[in-house]
Amino acid sequence: MRRLRPRTALPPLPARNARSPLAGRSPRSPRCLLLVLPVFAALTSLALLTGCAGVDGLQSEGRARDVDAPLVLWPGYSPAPPGRDENPVALVPVPNVPRIPSGTMADANPLAVLDADIAAQGRTPPAPKAVRRPELHDITGDGKANLIMAVDLDPRTSELRVYSVRRTVVTRVLVLRGVLAGVDLAAGHLVIREPTKDPRYVSVTDYVWDGHSMTLWNITLDDARTPQTPRAGGGSP
């Protein structure tokens, strides 16, 4: 009977917790990965930062333009203040109209006031079709209505007039002539919009009552806008 020759025994497997002498240097070990990842991230960030710069670096766009201070012509000259007839905010009593004891322009005849005021300046009163709808709003802050009227002198130019009652007397407090692209009321301010040479913008002149007269508050530029749809009905007191 043939006897089987026993096979050579395999060497025992290393224990699970035993460490090989090369384990610490293996690139796949967790400790080595922890050391390699921060270095890789730093190199990547450096490459990105380097790539943001142009190949030739900063370039000059030429010599900066010189800025000179404005040259003032005739520095010793200053104009005289406007006269009563030239001052748009001068208080001018309107002759030949009845006094108003109530103190509100809601009790006045708007067309009669307008015609009397223009006639007192030596001009012919306008045709009724050239007069826009009268508006009644409190812009002097006394709780009583003021009268705002506009007369279209031609297809482009108009005249704006504002009236108030001062001690029962009908008084003009503002008159302006220009191209009225818009007239607004905002927080007691009367805002006049006029076109500029640039169709994208309008000139905005802001008037406010200071307790004694209409005062020029501010002049700015604003974006042009399309005309607003007129509201139904007349002016509100």
Side-chain angles (χ1 to χ4, degrees):
M1 182 176 179
R2 186 175 177 182
R3 301 178 67 180
L4 296 177
R5 186 177 178 181
R7 295 181 180 179
T8 305
L10 295 175
L13 294 174
R16 182 173 295 181
N17 295 331
R19 175 183 291 183
S20 170
L22 297 178
R25 285 179 276 173
S26 173
R28 296 183 181 179
S29 65
R31 179 175 296 179
C32 186
L33 289 175
L34 291 175
L35 293 175
V36 170
L37 287 176
V39 175
F40 178 76
L43 292 176
T44 304
S45 300
L46 181 60
L48 291 175
L49 291 174
T50 306
C52 291
V55 177
D56 299 330
L58 298 176
Q59 297 181 357
S60 173
E61 294 184 355
R63 186 171 177 269
R65 207 165 121 187
D66 294 334
V67 179
D68 297 329
L71 178 62
V72 180
L73 304 181
W74 309 296
Y77 172 80
S78 59
R84 183 185 180 90
D85 295 336
E86 300 173 334
N87 187 357
V89 298
L91 301 183
V92 179
V94 179
N96 303 321
V97 293
R99 289 176 174 263
I100 303 180
S102 65
T104 172
M105 289 300 300
D107 294 337
N109 182 332
L111 290 178
V113 171
L114 177 68
D115 290 349
D117 187 25
I118 293 178
Q121 293 181 304
R123 293 165 47 194
T124 303
K129 64 179 181 179
V131 181
R132 300 185 193 179
R133 182 189 63 219
E135 292 284 345
L136 292 169
H137 299 278
D138 177 19
I139 61 175
T140 57
D142 60 0
K144 297 179 180 180
N146 303 114
L147 175 63
I148 305 173
M149 302 199 69
V151 180
D152 296 323
L153 304 177
D154 56 48
R156 180 171 174 82
T157 308
S158 303
E159 195 170 71
L160 181 73
R161 291 174 179 257
V162 181
Y163 300 95
S164 179
V165 179
R166 317 310 300 169
R167 297 186 179 89
T168 73
V169 176
V170 176
T171 304
R172 188 219 306 153
V173 298
L174 180 68
V175 57
L176 295 170
R177 179 181 293 192
V179 181
L180 302 182
V183 180
D184 303 337
L185 291 175
H189 290 226
L190 183 64
V191 182
I192 314 299
R193 297 174 176 269
E194 297 184 87
T196 65
K197 291 184 178 180
D198 190 333
R200 297 174 300 172
Y201 303 103
V202 292
S203 171
V204 180
T205 308
D206 189 349
Y207 288 90
V208 65
W209 182 259
D210 66 358
H212 304 283
S213 64
M214 297 293 292
T215 300
L216 178 60
W217 181 265
N218 199 11
I219 300 177
T220 58
L221 288 178
D222 195 6
D223 295 332
R225 67 188 186 191
T226 56
Q228 294 179 335
T229 303
R231 58 192 174 119
S236 59

